[in-house]
Amino acid sequence: MTKKYGSLLALNQLSVQVQQGSIYGLLGPNGSGKTTTLGMALDVIKPTSGSFSWFGQPVSRSTKRRIGALLETPNFYPYLTAQRNLEVAAEIKGAPPSQISRVLHLVGLEQRKNSAFKGFSLGMKQRLALASAMLNDPEVLVLDEPTNGLDPEGIAEVREIILRIAAEGKTIILASHLLDEVEKVCTHVAVLQRGVLKAEGPVGAILSAKDSIVISAANQQKALDVLAQLPFIASYHPEKENIVLTLQDGFNSADVNQAMFAAGIVLTQLVVRRKSLEAQFLEIIKQPS
Amino acid sequence: MNLLRIELKKIVPYYTFWIILAVYAGLLVLVMMAASNISINGGQLGTQVYQFPKLWQLLTYIASFFNLLLGILVIVLVTDEYSYRTLRQQVIDGMSRLELVLAKFYVILGIGAVTTLFLLLVGLYFGFRYSTDTGTDAILGQIDHLSYFFLQAVGYMTLAMLCGFLVKRSGMSIIVFILYAQVLEPILQFSLSDVIDQYLPIKVFKSLTPMPGQELLDQMTTPTELLTPAWATLPALCYIGLFLLLAYYSLKLRDL
């Protein structure tokens, strides 16, 4: 899909597919096209070109009833109570009114169901929006920045609700500019920057790039010879008097130390260099597309 | 999905809605009472003009001035949906754009029916108080003015709804609505010949509730070409349909 606002290219030929049961993160800085993408998929923003489908069908009332979504902000009538707001939403979604108390319980708002929406804190508003999205017991949940603007306690509450919903086996599509949120919650991720897809795949493959290990030994050449023989070394290169190496899955710095000692080399330095998420992210979005 | 029931759930607890309706009702009754107490040649005006069946035309003519208030009410209801972003949420939750327009049109029909019913009660009250002839024939003789009033109120409100959907913000929509109805179209009417301008929307709506004694006035001055209420019905219905269609396309072609 492509979306232009006048001359501004908000989204450039994005093409992704979300598998059933996955928790799919749309990751990118503010203004990278996340909300535009979700808005188009939710039928409120017109794509300039391209198309999308839900469950293999074009968007329709019946596909919408299998989706629960909140876009940007919690959208409710400020003068209506939580209960009344959910009654309106339930009527539109064709959900039985009996669901209202269930979803209020799910987000912990049953005590405040008779309070007007305008008196709610941001966290409560966000939770009510989650409750509304859950009214029709949807197969897919679409959440746009669900923790944006919340205090730490609110963030923790909302994340816990999301994980609880995910545990029920629902597919969740989550837009966020918070790396650590995507890493903690999602199984798959697409990284967007200025409307361009920079990377896509399982979170493990995209975000948790392998830690590197830095070693040094008195005889660097001999150490390099040994490394070439070791099966669990993924890559290595000398860096001044040090050697930087990465390992295959399932091995750690202890294995390196042991192998070196067995080969008669005593390491003078052994350091695990952890790559920060932020550094990885910057690396991803710097890649030329 | 019952569109009217959804709208009622939103409107019934909404104070602003009831306040505007109360102002409408209060102003109308106030004007009727004030007019009845004016005394001319020692006699109360009320006893002269609040006579069945002529009363219905006067009543609907007076009420037609307050249609702008009903229009503002509809604009508030439409633009609220933009400022709360609930229009967007309703589409996400499964409503079509056509249903968004229809839901508001049902509200318009509802408000039109309620105000027409209110007018009937007000008319009966003043009629029974002042009219010398209170026979069934006299009461029901020209009561069809009420149905013309209903059409007129629905027409004004549908135009207001279109302004709301097009402009999206309440203040600007109200200005556009009043500017068109009170300034722009009168200027247009002034610059066009009567043959054409009698078909302009506001003039069509106005001709549904003609001023009592217009015929007399026409004899003294150059007559203005004005459709009779019966002849104005079809063009009024066409305008209502056109406004609905434009409102629908403004939603269909733009992002929410």
Side-chain angles (χ1 to χ4, degrees):
Chain A
M1 290 190 291
T2 296
K3 177 69 183 179
K4 283 182 189 163
Y5 292 109
S7 62
L8 177 80
L9 190 57
L11 199 67
N12 189 4
Q13 297 181 27
L14 175 74
S15 182
V16 292
Q17 192 161 17
V18 178
Q19 296 298 326
Q20 184 180 0
S22 61
I23 305 179
Y24 195 95
L26 269 180
L27 179 62
N30 294 330
S32 57
K34 304 184 298 287
T35 299
T36 302
T37 304
L38 296 184
M40 288 194 287
L42 293 171
D43 189 32
V44 294
I45 296 174
K46 303 268 152 199
T48 307
S49 63
S51 65
F52 61 93
S53 66
W54 286 99
F55 318 107
Q57 301 161 24
V59 70
S60 68
R61 175 169 300 159
S62 66
T63 64
K64 284 178 180 180
R65 287 191 169 172
R66 296 163 70 182
I67 301 166
L70 65 104
L71 194 61
E72 281 187 287
T73 47
N75 305 327
F76 293 102
Y77 299 90
Y79 55 89
L80 292 183
T81 62
Q83 170 83 21
R84 285 278 186 172
N85 268 305
L86 291 185
E87 281 174 16
V88 172
E91 188 90 44
I92 294 169
K93 289 163 179 251
S98 57
Q99 289 289 313
I100 292 171
S101 57
R102 182 185 72 86
V103 296
L104 280 172
H105 177 76
L106 181 79
V107 300
L109 279 178
E110 62 266 78
Q111 302 294 324
R112 299 297 302 270
K113 69 174 184 177
N114 292 321
S115 309
F117 175 72
K118 62 182 167 217
F120 279 14
S121 70
L122 194 55
M124 288 160 71
K125 288 177 175 175
Q126 203 69 260
R127 272 147 63 198
L128 187 65
L130 272 174
S132 181
M134 292 300 292
L135 266 174
N136 47 347
D137 197 19
E139 294 160 55
V140 181
L141 209 55
V142 180
L143 307 172
D144 185 14
E145 305 271 5
T147 59
N148 205 9
L150 302 188
D151 57 18
E153 195 187 355
I155 292 177
E157 279 171 0
V158 167
R159 262 187 211 159
E160 198 225 293
I161 294 169
I162 293 173
L163 287 173
R164 218 185 309 153
I165 294 167
E168 294 174 22
K170 299 199 184 300
T171 308
I172 297 179
I173 302 173
L174 174 96
S176 178
H177 66 277
L178 302 173
L179 267 168
D180 122 285
E181 179 161 275
V182 169
E183 202 216 8
K184 276 185 186 143
V185 177
C186 297
T187 59
H188 291 73
V189 64
V191 182
L192 280 175
Q193 195 210 16
R194 290 200 209 111
V196 177
L197 182 65
K198 289 290 189 176
E200 198 217 354
V203 165
I206 304 288
L207 286 185
S208 46
K210 292 180 180 67
D211 294 336
S212 48
I213 292 171
V214 182
I215 59 172
S216 43
N219 187 338
Q220 192 183 36
Q221 193 50 52
K222 195 176 172 199
L224 286 170
D225 292 342
V226 174
L227 284 174
Q229 306 296 319
L230 291 176
F232 56 84
I233 303 293
S235 70
Y236 65 93
H237 63 272
E239 203 180 84
K240 290 182 197 160
E241 63 268 35
N242 302 328
I243 305 168
V244 180
L245 49 102
T246 55
L247 306 180
Q248 309 271 15
D249 284 339
F251 296 90
N252 58 33
S253 52
D255 298 308
V256 179
N257 200 7
Q258 194 173 33
M260 285 294 167
F261 200 73
I265 300 170
V266 178
L267 297 176
T268 54
Q269 182 186 225
L270 176 82
V271 177
V272 177
R273 192 193 279 167
R274 202 165 281 276
K275 233 168 158 184
S276 76
L277 274 173
E278 279 68 22
Q280 292 170 45
F281 182 71
L282 290 174
E283 233 164 68
I284 292 170
I285 63 175
K286 266 183 203 144
Q287 286 161 8
S289 51
Chain B
M1 176 176 355
N2 185 329
L3 293 177
L4 189 59
R5 194 163 66 205
I6 293 170
E7 293 301 310
L8 282 178
K9 273 188 192 293
K10 300 178 203 166
I11 289 173
V12 171
Y14 192 25
Y15 285 124
T16 310
F17 176 80
W18 296 111
I19 289 169
I20 296 180
L21 269 193
V23 168
Y24 174 86
L27 278 177
L28 189 72
V29 170
L30 213 67
V31 169
M32 292 290 287
M33 298 226 297
S36 69
N37 285 330
I38 297 171
S39 57
I40 294 172
N41 301 332
Q44 272 192 323
L45 190 64
T47 48
Q48 292 174 35
V49 294
Y50 294 162
Q51 293 288 338
F52 290 126
K54 284 188 311 188
L55 169 143
W56 296 116
Q57 189 181 354
L58 178 67
L59 178 66
T60 52
Y61 176 70
I62 291 174
S64 71
F65 287 96
F66 298 101
N67 279 326
L68 288 181
L69 208 54
L70 297 181
I72 290 170
L73 175 60
V74 169
I75 287 176
V76 168
L77 293 180
V78 171
T79 52
D80 269 356
E81 303 267 10
Y82 280 104
S83 51
Y84 305 151
R85 289 170 174 257
T86 39
L87 214 53
R88 182 180 240 220
Q89 191 64 44
Q90 287 171 88
V91 170
I92 291 174
D93 289 347
M95 264 167 93
S96 68
R97 284 156 172 81
L98 181 65
E99 284 169 329
L100 292 180
V101 176
L102 281 181
K104 287 290 174 279
F105 185 58
Y106 293 162
V107 172
I108 288 174
L109 292 179
I111 297 172
V114 168
T115 47
T116 306
L117 194 71
F118 177 70
L119 238 56
L120 174 71
L121 295 176
V122 170
L124 290 176
Y125 170 76
F126 284 97
F128 277 111
R129 194 159 160 203
Y130 293 106
S131 186
T132 41
D133 184 357
T134 52
T136 319
D137 285 351
I139 294 172
L140 300 179
Q142 292 177 22
I143 207 159
D144 56 333
H145 281 290
L146 282 182
S147 47
Y148 292 125
F149 168 79
F150 172 77
L151 187 61
Q152 181 191 55
V154 169
Y156 271 99
M157 285 189 282
T158 313
L159 177 62
M161 178 191 77
L162 174 63
C163 292
F165 276 125
L166 281 176
V167 182
K168 298 181 182 182
R169 280 177 313 195
S170 62
M172 268 317 274
S173 307
I174 292 172
I175 289 173
V176 167
F177 173 61
I178 292 181
L179 212 63
Y180 179 77
Q182 302 294 72
V183 181
L184 221 61
E185 203 189 286
I187 292 174
L188 263 177
Q189 288 171 8
F190 191 70
S191 54
L192 290 172
S193 78
D194 274 2
V195 188
I196 302 169
D197 78 19
Q198 61 184 336
Y199 293 106
L200 289 175
I202 296 294
K203 200 154 189 187
V204 164
F205 293 150
K206 280 201 165 137
S207 35
L208 288 165
T209 59
M211 190 166 87
Q214 179 71 49
E215 312 81 35
L216 268 168
L217 215 65
D218 282 352
Q219 285 170 7
M220 292 187 283
T221 61
T222 31
T224 51
E225 292 240 18
L226 208 58
L227 297 169
T228 63
W231 276 102
T233 302
L234 187 64
L237 285 172
C238 289
Y239 275 121
I240 290 169
L242 179 71
F243 296 156
L244 287 172
L245 212 66
L246 289 176
Y248 169 65
Y249 276 103
S250 81
L251 285 179
K252 196 174 163 62
L253 298 176
R254 298 189 298 178
D255 293 338
L256 283 179

